[in-house]
Amino acid sequence: SVKVALQELDISPTTPVVVDVGKKSPKKEDRHHAPTGRLAQQQQRKRSLTADIRISSSVEEEEESNKKVQFEFLSSHVNDHKTGKKLSATTVIRGTTRVETILFRVRGNQTLSNLKRHVVTTKKVGFTYMTVATDEICMGDFNPRSSHSSSCREEREDEESIIFHYNLPDMKVPTTLFCKGRYEINIKYTTTTSVAASGDQDDDYCGGNETTLKEETVKFVIV
């Protein structure tokens, strides 16, 4: 109770307690004094170091963002090899030869090195999908400031951006009934940091640290 608490503090309940609210606590008042001397220098160095870290982090985030937007997949279309007629991407007819063209944009000042296209094809068997084919194409290097090979058509948007039309190798669809069914293909585009090929590797070696640029899964049916 209040009475017991006052007795413990040796204060009589009838004794007036005077609180001077006009003065601030010396300890609280001392806290508002600006630091001087060595303490001020230490705090200034700490603030400067924090600002440098923030600037460095911002630069790294900007560089990482530039890497992500350097390659931009736009679209793809498929044509018949003989007639040039546009074909469906989701319905594949047996016995046809398909030519797929992919469109992608390359930005920035640096070359997109060792661009590769990885494809894993799976077929639905019962209630699951089984891998039936894998493929990897080394597409080459792409520089937004210089032209590519004649086999790859280009559309220049500005000084730092080009849309490439890349023709993939022809795909011949078998005529056998066994190939009929439902399929899924996992497509992944990667770039690699070039490394020197050793003596037992050929000139087309695409080695290095691989980074995924885009990945997607497409479903189609062969009839």
Side-chain angles (χ1 to χ4, degrees):
S1 65
V2 176
K3 184 176 181 180
V4 174
L6 293 175
Q7 289 176 353
E8 292 178 355
L9 294 173
D10 196 20
I11 298 177
S12 172
T14 59
T15 304
V17 179
V18 180
V19 179
D20 188 357
V21 299
K23 297 182 179 180
K24 296 182 179 179
S25 172
K27 294 182 179 180
K28 293 183 179 180
E29 186 177 359
D30 292 343
R31 294 175 184 174
H32 295 286
H33 286 324
T36 58
R38 183 177 299 177
L39 179 60
Q41 295 178 359
Q42 292 176 352
Q43 293 183 355
Q44 180 64 28
R45 285 196 297 267
K46 184 178 180 180
R47 286 193 294 267
S48 177
L49 179 61
T50 302
D52 292 340
I53 293 175
R54 289 177 179 174
I55 294 174
S56 177
S57 176
S58 176
V59 171
E60 290 177 357
E61 290 177 358
E62 183 178 357
E63 291 178 350
E64 186 66 22
S65 176
N66 290 336
K67 290 180 181 179
K68 291 181 180 179
V69 301
Q70 187 181 8
F71 172 86
E72 180 184 358
F73 180 86
L74 300 176
S75 63
S76 67
H77 59 267
V78 183
N79 297 88
D80 185 88
H81 178 74
K82 292 182 179 179
T83 65
K85 180 181 178 181
K86 186 175 181 180
L87 301 177
S88 171
T90 56
T91 302
V92 179
I93 301 175
R94 289 176 293 130
T96 58
T97 301
R98 300 162 63 86
V99 181
E100 182 176 2
T101 302
I102 60 174
L103 281 69
F104 59 93
R105 179 185 288 114
V106 177
R107 301 179 183 273
N109 300 323
Q110 297 181 352
T111 299
L112 188 63
S113 301
N114 294 334
L115 179 63
K116 292 193 290 185
R117 185 178 191 261
H118 312 259
V119 178
V120 178
T121 305
T122 58
K123 182 181 181 180
K124 188 174 184 181
V125 180
F127 297 98
T128 186
Y129 280 85
M130 296 181 59
T131 300
V132 295
T134 59
D135 188 25
E136 180 180 299
I137 301 174
C138 287
M139 299 171 61
D141 300 338
F142 297 86
N143 190 333
R145 291 184 174 272
S146 62
S147 60
H148 199 255
S149 62
S150 57
S151 61
C152 187
R153 189 164 65 87
E154 305 169 1
E155 293 181 18
R156 176 168 291 280
E157 294 185 318
D158 50 51
E159 292 183 356
E160 297 183 358
S161 177
I162 291 181
I163 295 178
F164 292 94
H165 298 241
Y166 188 91
N167 294 324
L168 297 172
D170 296 353
M171 184 184 74
K172 296 181 179 180
V173 184
T175 59
T176 60
L177 291 174
F178 178 76
C179 71
K180 292 180 63 176
R182 297 183 179 277
Y183 294 80
E184 283 188 359
I185 54 174
N186 179 265
I187 305 172
K188 181 170 65 173
Y189 296 91
T190 64
T191 182
T192 54
T193 303
S194 300
V195 295
S198 60
D200 57 348
Q201 292 168 337
D202 54 30
D203 295 336
D204 296 330
Y205 174 69
C206 290
N209 299 322
E210 195 169 81
T211 302
T212 299
L213 300 172
K214 177 181 174 58
E215 187 171 4
E216 64 177 345
T217 299
V218 178
K219 296 182 178 181
F220 67 94
V221 58
I222 295 181
V223 296

